[in-house]
Amino acid sequence: MAGLVTKSLNNPEEVRPFKDGMGKLELVNQDAGGVGRATFQPGWQWSQHVKPIAGTESCQAAHMGYVISGQMMVRMDDGQETLIGPGDFMDCPPGHDAWIVGNEPCVMIDWQGFADYAKG
């Protein structure tokens, strides 16, 4: 049985910047997978700022996360849309685009989909 493990997103093991300085992903790795805190700046959109890194038509990462601040619109490839904001939990399958709504950065913790996210 493993012992107690603590890590801090304030001292990440890896930082992945988004294109054009539109945010970053701070990542710590656990045996069960990566846990990340992403900061998305106003004007950020997956199809503009991560698609060139990912090389896919839409985001193919599944996300399970919690929004700390800001708002993000998520549009699935089938057209379904939802707006998420502070206090919202999200379970999002692969096949989506997303963008920031408003003038506040969106900060999100994700414990499922960030291990390979924005990895060039």
Side-chain angles (χ1 to χ4, degrees), residues 16-106:
R16 298 180 192 158
F18 300 144
K19 187 175 182 237
D20 300 329
M22 294 301 288
K24 64 184 175 184
L25 170 62
E26 299 161 297
L27 189 67
V28 295
N29 294 299
Q30 302 284 42
D31 288 343
V35 176
R37 174 177 59 199
T39 303
F40 305 94
Q41 295 299 325
W44 175 90
Q45 184 167 4
W46 185 91
S47 55
Q48 293 178 23
H49 300 103
V50 181
K51 180 179 179 176
I53 299 167
T56 57
E57 281 303 307
S58 62
C59 181
Q60 295 303 304
H63 299 284
M64 186 171 292
Y66 177 80
V67 180
I68 295 171
S69 62
Q71 293 186 316
M72 178 183 286
M73 180 67 75
V74 179
R75 178 184 296 144
M76 301 304 298
D77 288 349
D78 68 4
Q80 180 186 5
E81 288 185 350
T82 191
L83 180 66
I84 57 174
D88 288 345
F89 167 81
M90 175 181 71
D91 187 356
C92 180
H96 55 273
D97 192 5
W99 57 92
I100 299 309
V101 175
N103 295 319
E104 180 183 355
C106 181

